Amino acid sequence: AVDLLRRVYEQNFNCICPVNWSSFTLDTMVQIVEAFPSQGGLADFLAYAARDFRLFSKGMPDLCLWRSR
């Protein structure tokens, strides 16, 4: 998952698209991805949030906590 994140970030950083890539550094996004115990956990979280984006877009990601090691 980290390799995919790095590749997509590098290919799309500063592109004109609805994603604001400058909100987080690549290192921060890598820490978030690595905080999930498995790729399935990350996919489940994103699928759950995508079901009701309007609900989950308020307060996120500033209310998302993770422990970096």
Side-chain angles (χ1 to χ4, degrees):
V2 172
D3 292 336
L4 176 61
L5 171 65
R6 288 183 192 281
R7 190 170 53 249
V8 169
Y9 185 91
E10 290 168 2
Q11 289 173 352
N12 295 290
F13 187 75
N14 287 331
C15 76
I16 298 172
C17 63
V19 175
N20 185 357
W21 290 99
S22 61
S23 294
F24 298 97
T25 65
L26 178 58
D27 291 336
T28 299
M29 288 191 282
V30 167
Q31 286 180 13
I32 293 169
V33 168
E34 289 176 338
F36 286 86
S38 68
Q39 289 181 6
L42 177 60
D44 290 344
F45 172 77
L46 293 174
Y48 187 72
R51 283 189 198 120
D52 192 347
F53 179 75
R54 198 166 156 210
L55 174 67
F56 282 93
S57 64
K58 306 263 188 295
M60 281 296 287
D62 56 335
L63 297 179
C64 184
L65 304 174
W66 67 93
R67 182 182 304 188
S68 63
R69 298 175 192 210

